[in-house]
Amino acid sequence: MATTQFLNDRGLIARYRPHLPVTDATPVISLNEGSTPLIHSPKLSTMVGRGCNVFIKYEGLNPTGSFKDRGMTVAISKAAESGSKAVICASTGNTSAAAAAYAARADMDCIVLLPAGK
């Protein structure tokens, strides 16, 4: 299997474990987040100049369509490690979507608080 394909088949915790607050006791709750593509931006590269090549990370290809998946895999994994049966967040968008998706993967309840008027 090609190295690139292997990296695309792993979640964020598997790839960055030495840099994260996880231990061997931490269950990995993952939806195979990360490994989103870098897209070259010729216009931004030209604007920056000096021979620079600017790339934009396409986070919309994460499982919930958000960069929040990167943090939520760790948050829910740590919640699972502590024996939590539910998680709660206040959000009107990306955080609540990611929390719900990762909580579902961990078989946890997810409570979302919406600010008044949202």
mmCIF file of all heavy atoms in Angstrom, residues 12-13 29-34 36 57-77 89-103:
data_model
loop_
_atom_site.group_PDB
_atom_site.id
_atom_site.type_symbol
_atom_site.label_atom_id
_atom_site.label_comp_id
_atom_site.label_asym_id
_atom_site.label_seq_id
_atom_site.Cartn_x
_atom_site.Cartn_y
_atom_site.Cartn_z
ATOM 1 N N LEU A 12 -6.610 11.413 13.110
ATOM 2 C CA LEU A 12 -5.659 12.381 13.639
ATOM 3 C C LEU A 12 -4.897 11.862 14.857
ATOM 4 O O LEU A 12 -3.691 12.056 14.956
ATOM 5 C CB LEU A 12 -6.442 13.651 14.000
ATOM 6 C CG LEU A 12 -5.615 14.812 14.472
ATOM 7 C CD1 LEU A 12 -5.934 16.022 13.647
ATOM 8 C CD2 LEU A 12 -5.877 15.067 15.929
ATOM 9 N N ILE A 13 -5.572 11.191 15.767
ATOM 10 C CA ILE A 13 -4.898 10.700 16.978
ATOM 11 C C ILE A 13 -3.818 9.686 16.623
ATOM 12 O O ILE A 13 -2.717 9.723 17.175
ATOM 13 C CB ILE A 13 -5.899 10.126 17.992
ATOM 14 C CG1 ILE A 13 -6.775 11.259 18.547
ATOM 15 C CG2 ILE A 13 -5.175 9.402 19.133
ATOM 16 C CD1 ILE A 13 -7.884 10.804 19.471
ATOM 17 N N ILE A 29 -11.596 7.598 19.498
ATOM 18 C CA ILE A 29 -12.894 7.823 18.859
ATOM 19 C C ILE A 29 -12.612 8.657 17.614
ATOM 20 O O ILE A 29 -12.297 9.841 17.703
ATOM 21 C CB ILE A 29 -13.877 8.566 19.798
ATOM 22 C CG1 ILE A 29 -13.953 7.891 21.169
ATOM 23 C CG2 ILE A 29 -15.242 8.703 19.126
ATOM 24 C CD1 ILE A 29 -14.391 6.445 21.169
ATOM 25 N N SER A 30 -12.705 8.031 16.461
ATOM 26 C CA SER A 30 -12.305 8.678 15.215
ATOM 27 C C SER A 30 -13.313 8.429 14.110
ATOM 28 O O SER A 30 -13.978 7.388 14.077
ATOM 29 C CB SER A 30 -10.935 8.143 14.778
ATOM 30 O OG SER A 30 -10.560 8.684 13.539
ATOM 31 N N LEU A 31 -13.413 9.391 13.237
ATOM 32 C CA LEU A 31 -14.188 9.247 11.997
ATOM 33 C C LEU A 31 -13.246 9.393 10.799
ATOM 34 O O LEU A 31 -13.659 9.786 9.722
ATOM 35 C CB LEU A 31 -15.293 10.308 11.940
ATOM 36 C CG LEU A 31 -16.362 10.215 13.018
ATOM 37 C CD1 LEU A 31 -17.266 11.442 12.994
ATOM 38 C CD2 LEU A 31 -17.192 8.956 12.843
ATOM 39 N N ASN A 32 -11.971 9.090 11.030
ATOM 40 C CA ASN A 32 -10.917 9.236 10.022
ATOM 41 C C ASN A 32 -10.768 10.687 9.562
ATOM 42 O O ASN A 32 -10.620 10.971 8.377
ATOM 43 C CB ASN A 32 -11.142 8.295 8.832
ATOM 44 C CG ASN A 32 -11.018 6.855 9.244
ATOM 45 O OD1 ASN A 32 -10.168 6.514 10.063
ATOM 46 N ND2 ASN A 32 -11.865 6.015 8.718
ATOM 47 N N GLU A 33 -10.794 11.573 10.542
ATOM 48 C CA GLU A 33 -10.619 12.999 10.274
ATOM 49 C C GLU A 33 -9.184 13.311 9.878
ATOM 50 O O GLU A 33 -8.288 12.507 10.077
ATOM 51 C CB GLU A 33 -11.003 13.825 11.516
ATOM 52 C CG GLU A 33 -10.159 13.538 12.726
ATOM 53 C CD GLU A 33 -10.404 12.166 13.332
ATOM 54 O OE1 GLU A 33 -11.559 11.716 13.388
ATOM 55 O OE2 GLU A 33 -9.401 11.541 13.747
ATOM 56 N N GLY A 34 -9.001 14.489 9.360
ATOM 57 C CA GLY A 34 -7.670 14.910 8.937
ATOM 58 C C GLY A 34 -7.380 14.455 7.520
ATOM 59 O O GLY A 34 -8.283 14.051 6.786
ATOM 60 N N THR A 36 -6.965 16.112 5.050
ATOM 61 C CA THR A 36 -7.647 16.919 4.043
ATOM 62 C C THR A 36 -6.594 17.490 3.092
ATOM 63 O O THR A 36 -5.463 17.728 3.485
ATOM 64 C CB THR A 36 -8.462 18.048 4.706
ATOM 65 O OG1 THR A 36 -7.586 18.842 5.500
ATOM 66 C CG2 THR A 36 -9.580 17.489 5.564
ATOM 67 N N LYS A 57 -5.676 24.749 3.016
ATOM 68 C CA LYS A 57 -6.129 23.460 3.541
ATOM 69 C C LYS A 57 -7.636 23.365 3.368
ATOM 70 O O LYS A 57 -8.378 24.233 3.793
ATOM 71 C CB LYS A 57 -5.752 23.372 5.027
ATOM 72 C CG LYS A 57 -5.890 21.993 5.606
ATOM 73 C CD LYS A 57 -4.746 21.117 5.210
ATOM 74 C CE LYS A 57 -4.712 19.867 6.050
ATOM 75 N NZ LYS A 57 -4.237 18.739 5.308
ATOM 76 N N TYR A 58 -8.115 22.306 2.736
ATOM 77 C CA TYR A 58 -9.540 22.128 2.447
ATOM 78 C C TYR A 58 -10.191 21.319 3.573
ATOM 79 O O TYR A 58 -10.406 20.126 3.470
ATOM 80 C CB TYR A 58 -9.703 21.439 1.098
ATOM 81 C CG TYR A 58 -11.125 21.314 0.611
ATOM 82 C CD1 TYR A 58 -12.194 21.926 1.242
ATOM 83 C CD2 TYR A 58 -11.400 20.558 -0.517
ATOM 84 C CE1 TYR A 58 -13.483 21.796 0.784
ATOM 85 C CE2 TYR A 58 -12.690 20.417 -0.991
ATOM 86 C CZ TYR A 58 -13.721 21.039 -0.342
ATOM 87 O OH TYR A 58 -15.003 20.902 -0.794
ATOM 88 N N GLU A 59 -10.525 22.005 4.656
ATOM 89 C CA GLU A 59 -11.072 21.337 5.838
ATOM 90 C C GLU A 59 -12.516 20.875 5.639
ATOM 91 O O GLU A 59 -13.036 20.100 6.423
ATOM 92 C CB GLU A 59 -10.984 22.263 7.055
ATOM 93 C CG GLU A 59 -9.557 22.517 7.514
ATOM 94 C CD GLU A 59 -8.888 21.269 8.046
ATOM 95 O OE1 GLU A 59 -8.428 20.442 7.222
ATOM 96 O OE2 GLU A 59 -8.822 21.082 9.264
ATOM 97 N N GLY A 60 -13.162 21.338 4.591
ATOM 98 C CA GLY A 60 -14.525 20.908 4.308
ATOM 99 C C GLY A 60 -14.627 19.429 3.977
ATOM 100 O O GLY A 60 -15.730 18.888 3.905
ATOM 101 N N LEU A 61 -13.518 18.763 3.783
ATOM 102 C CA LEU A 61 -13.542 17.325 3.508
ATOM 103 C C LEU A 61 -13.376 16.474 4.763
ATOM 104 O O LEU A 61 -13.255 15.256 4.673
ATOM 105 C CB LEU A 61 -12.476 16.958 2.467
ATOM 106 C CG LEU A 61 -12.795 17.445 1.056
ATOM 107 C CD1 LEU A 61 -11.693 17.032 0.090
ATOM 108 C CD2 LEU A 61 -14.137 16.926 0.580
ATOM 109 N N ASN A 62 -13.398 17.097 5.937
ATOM 110 C CA ASN A 62 -13.456 16.328 7.175
ATOM 111 C C ASN A 62 -14.851 15.702 7.276
ATOM 112 O O ASN A 62 -15.785 16.140 6.598
ATOM 113 C CB ASN A 62 -13.185 17.231 8.380
ATOM 114 C CG ASN A 62 -11.712 17.327 8.690
ATOM 115 O OD1 ASN A 62 -11.027 16.324 8.766
ATOM 116 N ND2 ASN A 62 -11.223 18.540 8.871
ATOM 117 N N PRO A 63 -15.027 14.684 8.110
ATOM 118 C CA PRO A 63 -16.307 13.968 8.164
ATOM 119 C C PRO A 63 -17.536 14.852 8.386
ATOM 120 O O PRO A 63 -18.582 14.594 7.800
ATOM 121 C CB PRO A 63 -16.124 12.979 9.317
ATOM 122 C CG PRO A 63 -14.657 12.748 9.351
ATOM 123 C CD PRO A 63 -14.028 14.052 8.971
ATOM 124 N N THR A 64 -17.439 15.883 9.221
ATOM 125 C CA THR A 64 -18.606 16.753 9.431
ATOM 126 C C THR A 64 -18.500 18.038 8.618
ATOM 127 O O THR A 64 -19.314 18.940 8.774
ATOM 128 C CB THR A 64 -18.811 17.119 10.921
ATOM 129 O OG1 THR A 64 -17.772 18.013 11.334
ATOM 130 C CG2 THR A 64 -18.839 15.890 11.805
ATOM 131 N N GLY A 65 -17.499 18.116 7.759
ATOM 132 C CA GLY A 65 -17.331 19.305 6.928
ATOM 133 C C GLY A 65 -16.689 20.471 7.654
ATOM 134 O O GLY A 65 -16.783 21.607 7.213
ATOM 135 N N SER A 66 -16.038 20.198 8.771
ATOM 136 C CA SER A 66 -15.511 21.273 9.603
ATOM 137 C C SER A 66 -14.132 20.951 10.166
ATOM 138 O O SER A 66 -13.813 19.800 10.449
ATOM 139 C CB SER A 66 -16.470 21.517 10.772
ATOM 140 O OG SER A 66 -15.897 22.355 11.737
ATOM 141 N N PHE A 67 -13.364 22.001 10.393
ATOM 142 C CA PHE A 67 -12.066 21.854 11.062
ATOM 143 C C PHE A 67 -12.248 21.431 12.516
ATOM 144 O O PHE A 67 -11.315 20.951 13.150
ATOM 145 C CB PHE A 67 -11.270 23.161 10.991
ATOM 146 C CG PHE A 67 -11.828 24.270 11.832
ATOM 147 C CD1 PHE A 67 -11.293 24.531 13.077
ATOM 148 C CD2 PHE A 67 -12.880 25.045 11.378
ATOM 149 C CE1 PHE A 67 -11.802 25.547 13.872
ATOM 150 C CE2 PHE A 67 -13.391 26.066 12.158
ATOM 151 C CZ PHE A 67 -12.862 26.313 13.405
ATOM 152 N N LYS A 68 -13.434 21.566 13.068
ATOM 153 C CA LYS A 68 -13.697 21.200 14.462
ATOM 154 C C LYS A 68 -13.504 19.704 14.718
ATOM 155 O O LYS A 68 -13.299 19.282 15.853
ATOM 156 C CB LYS A 68 -15.109 21.607 14.871
ATOM 157 C CG LYS A 68 -15.365 23.097 14.840
ATOM 158 C CD LYS A 68 -14.681 23.798 15.974
ATOM 159 C CE LYS A 68 -15.071 25.264 16.005
ATOM 160 N NZ LYS A 68 -14.622 25.922 17.207
ATOM 161 N N ASP A 69 -13.555 18.894 13.668
ATOM 162 C CA ASP A 69 -13.351 17.453 13.840
ATOM 163 C C ASP A 69 -11.980 17.145 14.422
ATOM 164 O O ASP A 69 -11.816 16.184 15.162
ATOM 165 C CB ASP A 69 -13.486 16.729 12.498
ATOM 166 C CG ASP A 69 -14.900 16.743 11.960
ATOM 167 O OD1 ASP A 69 -15.789 17.303 12.622
ATOM 168 O OD2 ASP A 69 -15.114 16.192 10.871
ATOM 169 N N ARG A 70 -10.998 17.963 14.092
ATOM 170 C CA ARG A 70 -9.632 17.716 14.561
ATOM 171 C C ARG A 70 -9.548 17.760 16.089
ATOM 172 O O ARG A 70 -8.879 16.934 16.694
ATOM 173 C CB ARG A 70 -8.674 18.729 13.940
ATOM 174 C CG ARG A 70 -8.507 18.535 12.457
ATOM 175 C CD ARG A 70 -7.579 19.576 11.856
ATOM 176 N NE ARG A 70 -7.441 19.386 10.433
ATOM 177 C CZ ARG A 70 -6.593 18.540 9.873
ATOM 178 N NH1 ARG A 70 -5.794 17.802 10.616
ATOM 179 N NH2 ARG A 70 -6.533 18.420 8.564
ATOM 180 N N GLY A 71 -10.200 18.704 16.704
ATOM 181 C CA GLY A 71 -10.194 18.783 18.162
ATOM 182 C C GLY A 71 -11.196 17.841 18.803
ATOM 183 O O GLY A 71 -10.965 17.312 19.897
ATOM 184 N N MET A 72 -12.314 17.627 18.129
ATOM 185 C CA MET A 72 -13.379 16.814 18.720
ATOM 186 C C MET A 72 -12.980 15.357 18.860
ATOM 187 O O MET A 72 -13.397 14.689 19.805
ATOM 188 C CB MET A 72 -14.658 16.944 17.895
ATOM 189 C CG MET A 72 -15.907 16.611 18.665
ATOM 190 S SD MET A 72 -16.156 17.561 20.200
ATOM 191 C CE MET A 72 -16.533 19.177 19.542
ATOM 192 N N THR A 73 -12.141 14.831 17.970
ATOM 193 C CA THR A 73 -11.693 13.453 18.125
ATOM 194 C C THR A 73 -10.956 13.279 19.453
ATOM 195 O O THR A 73 -11.143 12.289 20.159
ATOM 196 C CB THR A 73 -10.819 12.983 16.926
ATOM 197 O OG1 THR A 73 -10.492 11.617 17.121
ATOM 198 C CG2 THR A 73 -9.553 13.795 16.765
ATOM 199 N N VAL A 74 -10.157 14.267 19.828
ATOM 200 C CA VAL A 74 -9.422 14.206 21.095
ATOM 201 C C VAL A 74 -10.377 14.426 22.268
ATOM 202 O O VAL A 74 -10.334 13.688 23.261
ATOM 203 C CB VAL A 74 -8.269 15.238 21.119
ATOM 204 C CG1 VAL A 74 -7.554 15.221 22.471
ATOM 205 C CG2 VAL A 74 -7.286 14.964 19.999
ATOM 206 N N ALA A 75 -11.251 15.416 22.163
ATOM 207 C CA ALA A 75 -12.170 15.730 23.264
ATOM 208 C C ALA A 75 -13.065 14.538 23.603
ATOM 209 O O ALA A 75 -13.215 14.173 24.782
ATOM 210 C CB ALA A 75 -13.016 16.945 22.905
ATOM 211 N N ILE A 76 -13.647 13.932 22.592
ATOM 212 C CA ILE A 76 -14.552 12.804 22.847
ATOM 213 C C ILE A 76 -13.768 11.565 23.282
ATOM 214 O O ILE A 76 -14.224 10.798 24.132
ATOM 215 C CB ILE A 76 -15.436 12.512 21.614
ATOM 216 C CG1 ILE A 76 -16.295 13.745 21.261
ATOM 217 C CG2 ILE A 76 -16.312 11.292 21.844
ATOM 218 C CD1 ILE A 76 -17.274 14.176 22.339
ATOM 219 N N SER A 77 -12.575 11.371 22.746
ATOM 220 C CA SER A 77 -11.739 10.249 23.195
ATOM 221 C C SER A 77 -11.407 10.389 24.680
ATOM 222 O O SER A 77 -11.461 9.407 25.434
ATOM 223 C CB SER A 77 -10.452 10.175 22.361
ATOM 224 O OG SER A 77 -10.743 9.846 21.025
ATOM 225 N N CYS A 89 -22.294 20.815 24.838
ATOM 226 C CA CYS A 89 -21.600 21.987 24.301
ATOM 227 C C CYS A 89 -22.616 23.069 23.992
ATOM 228 O O CYS A 89 -23.809 22.807 23.857
ATOM 229 C CB CYS A 89 -20.784 21.633 23.053
ATOM 230 S SG CYS A 89 -21.765 21.265 21.598
ATOM 231 N N ALA A 90 -22.144 24.292 23.906
ATOM 232 C CA ALA A 90 -22.967 25.421 23.483
ATOM 233 C C ALA A 90 -22.462 25.841 22.117
ATOM 234 O O ALA A 90 -21.300 26.209 21.964
ATOM 235 C CB ALA A 90 -22.851 26.566 24.479
ATOM 236 N N SER A 91 -23.317 25.745 21.113
ATOM 237 C CA SER A 91 -22.882 26.047 19.754
ATOM 238 C C SER A 91 -24.086 26.175 18.844
ATOM 239 O O SER A 91 -25.132 25.579 19.083
ATOM 240 C CB SER A 91 -21.983 24.925 19.235
ATOM 241 O OG SER A 91 -21.744 25.058 17.853
ATOM 242 N N THR A 92 -23.916 26.942 17.787
ATOM 243 C CA THR A 92 -24.954 27.033 16.763
ATOM 244 C C THR A 92 -24.473 26.443 15.440
ATOM 245 O O THR A 92 -25.140 26.575 14.431
ATOM 246 C CB THR A 92 -25.356 28.505 16.510
ATOM 247 O OG1 THR A 92 -24.195 29.223 16.080
ATOM 248 C CG2 THR A 92 -25.941 29.136 17.747
ATOM 249 N N GLY A 93 -23.310 25.805 15.447
ATOM 250 C CA GLY A 93 -22.811 25.343 14.157
ATOM 251 C C GLY A 93 -21.830 24.209 14.218
ATOM 252 O O GLY A 93 -22.148 23.102 14.645
ATOM 253 N N ASN A 94 -20.601 24.496 13.788
ATOM 254 C CA ASN A 94 -19.601 23.456 13.585
ATOM 255 C C ASN A 94 -19.293 22.633 14.829
ATOM 256 O O ASN A 94 -19.147 21.416 14.751
ATOM 257 C CB ASN A 94 -18.305 24.073 13.053
ATOM 258 C CG ASN A 94 -18.449 24.568 11.638
ATOM 259 O OD1 ASN A 94 -19.258 24.074 10.872
ATOM 260 N ND2 ASN A 94 -17.657 25.559 11.288
ATOM 261 N N THR A 95 -19.196 23.290 15.982
ATOM 262 C CA THR A 95 -18.869 22.541 17.204
ATOM 263 C C THR A 95 -19.963 21.540 17.534
ATOM 264 O O THR A 95 -19.677 20.381 17.855
ATOM 265 C CB THR A 95 -18.633 23.496 18.389
ATOM 266 O OG1 THR A 95 -17.537 24.350 18.070
ATOM 267 C CG2 THR A 95 -18.334 22.739 19.671
ATOM 268 N N SER A 96 -21.218 21.961 17.450
ATOM 269 C CA SER A 96 -22.312 21.047 17.788
ATOM 270 C C SER A 96 -22.402 19.897 16.793
ATOM 271 O O SER A 96 -22.667 18.757 17.187
ATOM 272 C CB SER A 96 -23.642 21.794 17.875
ATOM 273 O OG SER A 96 -23.946 22.465 16.673
ATOM 274 N N ALA A 97 -22.168 20.162 15.522
ATOM 275 C CA ALA A 97 -22.201 19.087 14.524
ATOM 276 C C ALA A 97 -21.093 18.069 14.792
ATOM 277 O O ALA A 97 -21.327 16.854 14.752
ATOM 278 C CB ALA A 97 -22.072 19.665 13.122
ATOM 279 N N ALA A 98 -19.892 18.562 15.076
ATOM 280 C CA ALA A 98 -18.783 17.657 15.355
ATOM 281 C C ALA A 98 -19.014 16.893 16.657
ATOM 282 O O ALA A 98 -18.784 15.684 16.726
ATOM 283 C CB ALA A 98 -17.464 18.431 15.409
ATOM 284 N N ALA A 99 -19.471 17.587 17.690
ATOM 285 C CA ALA A 99 -19.728 16.918 18.972
ATOM 286 C C ALA A 99 -20.764 15.817 18.800
ATOM 287 O O ALA A 99 -20.586 14.701 19.317
ATOM 288 C CB ALA A 99 -20.189 17.933 20.016
ATOM 289 N N ALA A 100 -21.832 16.091 18.075
ATOM 290 C CA ALA A 100 -22.882 15.086 17.870
ATOM 291 C C ALA A 100 -22.354 13.881 17.098
ATOM 292 O O ALA A 100 -22.648 12.733 17.452
ATOM 293 C CB ALA A 100 -24.062 15.712 17.134
ATOM 294 N N ALA A 101 -21.573 14.123 16.070
ATOM 295 C CA ALA A 101 -21.047 13.027 15.255
ATOM 296 C C ALA A 101 -20.082 12.140 16.046
ATOM 297 O O ALA A 101 -20.175 10.909 16.008
ATOM 298 C CB ALA A 101 -20.357 13.581 14.015
ATOM 299 N N TYR A 102 -19.170 12.767 16.779
ATOM 300 C CA TYR A 102 -18.184 11.990 17.533
ATOM 301 C C TYR A 102 -18.820 11.323 18.744
ATOM 302 O O TYR A 102 -18.457 10.204 19.101
ATOM 303 C CB TYR A 102 -16.972 12.848 17.897
ATOM 304 C CG TYR A 102 -16.070 13.035 16.704
ATOM 305 C CD1 TYR A 102 -16.331 14.022 15.763
ATOM 306 C CD2 TYR A 102 -15.001 12.185 16.482
ATOM 307 C CE1 TYR A 102 -15.540 14.175 14.633
ATOM 308 C CE2 TYR A 102 -14.199 12.323 15.359
ATOM 309 C CZ TYR A 102 -14.484 13.314 14.435
ATOM 310 O OH TYR A 102 -13.697 13.442 13.318
ATOM 311 N N ALA A 103 -19.789 11.981 19.376
ATOM 312 C CA ALA A 103 -20.508 11.353 20.490
ATOM 313 C C ALA A 103 -21.271 10.127 19.994
ATOM 314 O O ALA A 103 -21.277 9.087 20.657
ATOM 315 C CB ALA A 103 -21.459 12.359 21.140
#
